[in-house]
Amino acid sequence: MSTDTPITDATVRDVVIVGSGVAGLSAAVYTARADLEPLVLEGPEPGGQLTLTTEVENYLGFPEGIGGMELIQNGKEQATRFGAEFTHGTVETATLEEQPFALELASGETIRTRALIVATGASARWVGADGEDELMGYGLSTCATCDGAFHRGDDVLVIGGGDSAMEEALFLAKFADNVTVVHRRDELRASDIMAKRARDHDAIAFRWNTELLEIHGSQEDGVTGATLVRHPDGHPTAKLESGEVDHETVDVGGIFYGVGHVPNTEFLAETAVELDEAGYIRTEPGMTTETAVEGVFGAGDVMDPDYRQAITAAGTGSMAALDAESWLETREAAEHASPPLAEAELDD
Ligand code: NAP
């Protein structure tokens, strides 16, 4: 597999795809099949969110489901087969005012490209509880499939009320003695099927209208406990001043965050690519992946605050590839068109 392709400052690519999750891979397959020889930049979370998932049951074409990692590996092989190249690199800044675009990487290298597909996805959100900076990775985790096995026989908390939290809880229930889902409201956001699976599981309990205020422990001992707050109307941390919030300390050996994701668009903040209030790329109106900057296209979770599914990410990845291909063709045609006749010539 052609990972770690050397980067030379002089090369100008037709297409660079930033991000190697399902959207980036789908864009890579399409642009590679169109002979555009795409370069895929694999960032700090290569393969994206699917590599942190166990089974993917709702991706079309796999009646028995498929492992997230396997789906990503298959996609990478498929893109490589058609000529896509992969290299590791995190984009720190993007200069998009003129052609070719320039991407400055954390390594100090610069990549130049005519078309850019941004498929950087979204990363796990943190709750903001006291102690999380110190204990992330020491019993506090955003990935049950990565760290769940360390919690055999423990009591653990899962924070959140969406599908991610249910999935984390169900996975953790294979190892932990007791899993408690802590949710800030009294109603789950998760899909009915995931909520039912979690509710029906003997080892999974729920604490409603409750939030995590503080995490106890140390890097030597790991997580040892947590302070939870509760208010009957929900969102207790917002009501701490009211004096109506109950505090409780519980002993736990692990805490898992499943509270959604934030889009990875920091490197676009100073560019003309439009972002919404939450940082998601705004694509142009209509069925397109075009952004406010001509030649820059958005694909996958980074431009999709609503659906956020593997299959929709693959779909927008292929759309971005087709949009980029057609933009490059139009641009090339315009460059080779004969120049307009000068006024003097017209008078003759
Ligand atoms: P989500 O649907 O946005 O849910 C995030 C949950 O975390 C919500 O319950 C939210 O509470 C809670 N939350 C957010 N910020 C919080 C904070 N600071 N403190 C405490 N709680 C907080 O995100 P998701 O679960 O990651 O799912 C995202 C998308 O991926 C969804 O479309 C989902 O269906 C999909 N997904 C599907 C599967 C599957 O089908 N197997 C698995 C994972 C994800 P509120 O409810 O009060 O807002």
Side-chain angles (χ1 to χ4, degrees):
M1 202 162 285
S2 52
T3 44
D4 289 320
T5 301
I7 298 166
T8 58
D9 279 11
T11 314
V12 176
R13 295 267 172 178
D14 275 331
V15 184
V16 168
I17 299 163
V18 189
S20 58
V22 71
L25 291 176
S26 175
V29 169
Y30 272 70
T31 47
R33 284 192 80 236
D35 285 338
L36 292 172
E37 297 173 353
L39 176 69
V40 183
L41 287 180
E42 299 189 274
E45 297 172 38
Q49 285 178 48
L50 275 193
T51 61
L52 307 177
T53 312
T54 42
E55 279 300 281
V56 182
E57 290 181 336
N58 50 9
Y59 198 94
L60 188 71
F62 299 94
E64 304 302 324
I66 180 167
M69 186 64 96
E70 194 186 347
L71 189 63
I72 289 298
Q73 274 166 352
N74 289 349
K76 193 168 172 181
E77 265 173 48
Q78 193 177 353
T80 305
R81 181 182 143 215
F82 295 117
E85 294 175 67
F86 290 78
T87 192
H88 293 284
T90 301
V91 180
E92 279 203 332
T93 50
T95 308
L96 308 176
E97 292 87 36
E98 57 187 42
Q99 276 286 333
F101 301 137
L103 305 173
E104 291 87 33
L105 307 189
S107 61
E109 288 156 306
T110 300
I111 295 184
R112 292 176 208 286
T113 182
R114 295 181 181 89
L116 173 65
I117 296 177
V118 181
T120 44
S123 297
R125 178 183 284 126
W126 291 20
V127 165
D130 284 345
E132 69 181 14
D133 287 335
E134 188 195 343
L135 292 169
M136 185 57 77
Y138 297 88
L140 173 64
S141 169
T142 58
C143 177
T145 48
C146 317
D147 300 324
F150 299 125
H151 295 278
R152 224 171 270 278
D154 277 351
D155 288 352
V156 300
L157 302 180
V158 172
I159 316 297
D163 279 334
S164 293
M166 298 310 108
E167 198 172 61
E168 302 253 299
L170 287 160
F171 186 78
L172 286 164
K174 295 178 189 171
F175 307 98
D177 274 0
N178 298 293
V179 179
T180 303
V181 176
V182 174
H183 183 35
R184 63 185 179 184
R185 298 184 293 133
D186 62 1
E187 193 187 340
L188 292 174
R189 181 178 294 277
S191 57
D192 290 346
I193 183 167
M194 296 293 282
K196 183 172 183 332
R197 278 186 203 164
R199 283 177 187 275
D200 288 351
H201 200 295
D202 287 343
I204 300 177
F206 289 82
R207 275 184 188 247
W208 304 108
N209 297 320
T210 303
E211 280 180 286
L212 176 68
L213 188 68
E214 188 180 348
I215 306 165
H216 308 293
S218 65
Q219 293 190 352
E220 292 71 42
D221 300 332
V223 166
T224 55
T227 303
L228 302 177
V229 282
R230 188 183 175 283
H231 188 282
D233 298 333
H235 291 273
T237 53
K239 304 186 176 81
L240 285 172
E241 309 274 284
S242 71
E244 297 163 359
V245 172
D246 294 329
H247 289 64
E248 187 187 351
T249 301
V250 293
D251 293 335
V252 289
I255 299 176
F256 288 80
Y257 284 171
V259 291
H261 293 82
V262 279
N264 295 315
T265 49
E266 265 176 40
F267 73 100
L268 295 174
E270 302 299 320
T271 71
V273 172
E274 253 184 66
L275 307 177
D276 72 8
E277 339 37 78
Y280 288 91
I281 291 177
R282 274 208 174 106
T283 49
E284 295 296 288
M287 188 94 169
T288 179
T289 62
E290 289 165 15
T291 69
V293 175
E294 261 192 49
V296 179
F297 305 87
D301 283 12
V302 75
M303 49 77 86
D304 170 20
D306 300 317
Y307 299 102
R308 298 180 291 183
Q309 302 298 304
I311 195 121
T312 51
T316 52
S318 68
M319 284 167 61
L322 295 169
D323 289 344
E325 187 187 348
S326 127
W327 180 80
L328 284 164
E329 273 169 13
T330 311
R331 214 175 149 262
E332 202 177 330
E335 274 169 13
H336 291 107
S338 17
L341 289 176
E343 254 179 55
E345 286 176 77
L346 284 172
D347 287 345
D348 291 344

